[in-house]
Amino acid sequence: MKLLRYGAKGQERPGLLDSNGAVRDLSAYVGDIDGTVLTREGRDRLRSIDVATLPEITDFERYGACVGSVGKFICIGLNYSDHAAESDMEVPPEPVVFMKATSAISGPNDPIIKPRGSTKLDWEVELAVVIGAHLAYADEAEAAAGIAGYCLCNDVSERAFQLERHGQWTKGKGCDSFGPLGPWLVTADEVSDADNLAMWLNVNGKRFQDGNSRTMIYKPTFLISYLSRFMSLQPGDIISTGTPAGVGLGQQPPVYLEVGDVVELGIDGLGTQRQVVVAAA
């Protein structure tokens, strides 16, 4: 299944994408696409629905983030060796973990808001994993069974805030609009090999990132197991797994986003996103 949320910001409705690419409304069955319906039992109930009986939605304002009411938005840094090299940082002996504020979550085509004082606004195409079970001290088999699905994420970053303002990376990672998710969540049963997905990102039509999830250092099931040693994971939590080479910071000289720039990105089977950079109010 491809699960999604559509409608005006703050008024998103649950839906799914049918086999013909049409959006179907799920409001008669669930209140939202969130942790309450992303468990194995919840997904099984959704699969039992006759999709042909669902209303087809042909006119809607926007896709929202594909998961609502996210409890934790966890990110993994330097998880591709080529990205670590371009960032002039060593490959970490254990996963680098940081959190994005859930208020950073936005729809896949919503604007990227350039914060006040921003000078080094950057992009990162990433594969995000959506949790579908309560997991604590999980082994990798339990981790694999606890994946609800996968989605596309742009881990938008402000490098000056992240690297030059002291303290944790959180300052440069959690600004409003810095976590576009979607357009849809593809359930795990429809992703044959999450460790081999092509991923790309363009800025103003120029290809900057052209990678594949197979070059991840720490794979999704390992990451879930690892994280579950330090915090329990719940249905609806998001783990964004890192980015390949090609970010603005790694260009010679560096290239950063400015107001009016257009960012487009995608991962095979998980859809695409398009964002325009706008100035903070």
Side-chain angles (χ1 to χ4, degrees), residues 17-209:
L17 198 73
D18 71 16
S19 58
N20 296 316
V23 172
R24 301 279 186 159
D25 182 66
L26 280 170
S27 298
Y29 293 90
V30 297
D32 202 356
I33 303 300
D34 59 16
T36 63
V37 300
L38 292 176
T39 62
R40 181 179 296 277
E41 296 76 18
R43 301 194 309 273
D44 286 345
R45 285 193 296 272
L46 292 180
R47 288 192 189 93
S48 70
I49 298 169
D50 181 357
V51 174
T53 67
L54 298 173
E56 183 176 343
I57 308 301
T58 58
D59 183 21
F60 59 93
E61 181 177 338
R62 63 187 277 276
Y63 285 109
C66 57
V67 182
S69 302
V70 173
K72 291 191 287 295
F73 192 177
I74 309 166
C75 296
I76 307 300
L78 305 176
N79 198 27
Y80 288 71
S81 56
D82 53 358
H83 174 54
E86 72 174 353
S87 301
D88 197 26
M89 298 180 183
E90 294 183 3
V91 173
E94 293 190 37
V96 172
V97 179
F98 63 92
M99 310 288 280
K100 267 183 161 351
T102 54
S103 54
I105 293 172
S106 59
N109 303 317
D110 291 348
I112 294 172
I113 302 169
K114 185 176 183 181
R116 296 179 186 180
S118 168
T119 58
K120 298 181 179 180
L121 187 63
D122 207 345
W123 58 82
E124 295 188 9
V125 58
E126 302 202 1
L127 172 67
V129 182
V130 183
I131 301 300
H134 175 87
L135 298 170
Y137 303 105
D139 60 28
E140 289 198 49
E142 292 168 328
I147 296 174
Y150 302 87
C151 68
L152 172 61
C153 175
N154 186 358
D155 176 18
V156 183
S157 308
E158 212 302 330
R159 302 300 186 190
F161 294 2
Q162 176 191 357
L163 302 173
E164 300 169 20
R165 298 291 294 272
H166 304 287
Q168 299 180 344
W169 287 2
T170 305
K171 294 176 186 176
K173 294 288 190 172
C175 302
D176 289 358
S177 80
F178 276 23
L181 297 174
W184 41 74
L185 180 163
V186 182
T187 52
D189 58 299
E190 293 195 5
V191 179
S192 59
D193 187 1
D195 296 341
N196 186 22
L197 296 173
M199 50 207 306
W200 57 270
L201 184 145
N202 296 342
V203 178
N204 298 329
K206 179 180 178 179
R207 180 64 49 93
F208 279 90
Q209 291 189 275

Side-chain angles (χ1 to χ4, degrees), residues 75-79 92-98 217-219 222-224 226-227 229-230:
C75 296
I76 307 300
L78 305 176
N79 198 27
E94 293 190 37
V96 172
V97 179
F98 63 92
I217 300 166
Y218 300 109
K219 306 298 184 180
F222 174 84
L223 290 171
I224 294 168
Y226 178 85
L227 288 167
R229 304 174 201 173
F230 304 103

